[in-house]
Structure formats: structure tokens, C-alpha cells
Amino acid sequence: MSSTGLAMTHLVPLAKELDENKVTPGVLGFIVFAVMAAGVWLLMKSMNRHMNRVDFEEAPAPAATAGAASRAAAEPAKGE
């Protein structure tokens, strides 16, 4: 018999003894949830700080860039 099967045979009687209507997460469940919530809150604050530091300038549209390049090619150089 595998170790998983052996564990299940020992745990099934324990599970039958528990009243399914009275099982709650308890204090440990609350602590785990509170730590996860605090971690998510700290990550969101950190992400917000980092995003505010980003200096982003949007590149011009490709049509505007192509138009400027064709105008520059059409105009003679000023030194000539």
C-alpha cells in the first residue's frame, strides 16, 4: 500500500469525527489572510511609487514621422 493510501486510511476516520457545520478557519486562517492582505497592500503602494517615477513620452504616430521625413527630403539643405 502506498504512503498516500496509508495516510488516507488514517485521516478518513478523523474527518468523519469532525462536525462539518462547526469547522471554521480559526485564528490561523485569519492571520494568514491578514498577512496576505498586508502584502498585497504593500505591493500596490510600491507599484504606485514606481509607476509615478516613470517619465514616459509617447512616440509620434508613424504617419506623422513619415510625413516629416518626406518634407525634410523635399527641402534643400540650408548650407547649399
Side-chain angles (χ1 to χ4, degrees):
M1 182 176 252
S2 69
S3 62
T4 306
L6 185 61
M8 289 302 292
T9 58
H10 289 294
L11 293 177
V12 169
L14 292 175
K16 288 181 181 177
E17 292 175 7
L18 293 175
D19 184 9
E20 293 180 7
N21 296 325
K22 293 184 180 180
V23 176
T24 63
V27 176
L28 180 62
F30 174 75
I31 291 171
V32 168
F33 181 78
V35 167
M36 289 175 60
V40 168
W41 182 72
L42 289 171
L43 283 171
M44 293 295 288
K45 281 185 60 106
S46 174
M47 182 187 69
N48 195 19
R49 270 196 319 247
H50 283 86
M51 292 300 285
N52 284 336
R53 290 182 189 167
V54 173
D55 185 23
F56 177 73
E57 290 184 22
E58 189 171 344
T65 306
S70 64
R71 275 182 283 154
E75 293 177 4
K78 292 185 178 189
E80 295 177 16

